[in-house]
Amino acid sequence: MACTCPHHVHRNAFCKYMAAVEHTTGDGTLEAYPPKDDDDTKPEDCDCDGLSGFPCWPCVQTGRKELPD
């Protein structure tokens, strides 16, 4: 395991960030940027059809659609 913090880089020491990852997961790994869910399933309470192209809040909340600028 490695870290880019000064404590680990300059002292080659086990740092607090490494300890956090080790105690957070069982195998000592952490996925910092999990892959986006490609599930485009329409939420049960979707009401986009009645909004003339504007996304409903359930679709925005689940990441299925984005609010326009």
Side-chain angles (χ1 to χ4, degrees), residues 6-66:
H7 186 67
H8 178 72
V9 171
H10 299 294
R11 294 182 186 90
N12 199 25
F14 192 76
C15 67
K16 63 183 178 182
Y17 306 105
M18 295 165 80
V21 169
E22 185 176 69
H23 292 291
T24 302
T25 64
D27 62 355
T29 61
L30 178 68
E31 195 169 327
Y33 298 99
K36 286 192 172 192
D37 189 8
D38 290 336
D39 185 17
D40 195 29
T41 306
K42 188 175 184 177
E44 288 181 26
D45 50 351
C46 173
D47 193 28
C48 289
D49 295 335
L51 298 176
S52 303
F54 195 81
C56 69
W57 181 243
C59 284
V60 172
Q61 204 171 21
T62 58
R64 183 173 178 257
K65 294 187 178 182
E66 292 185 8

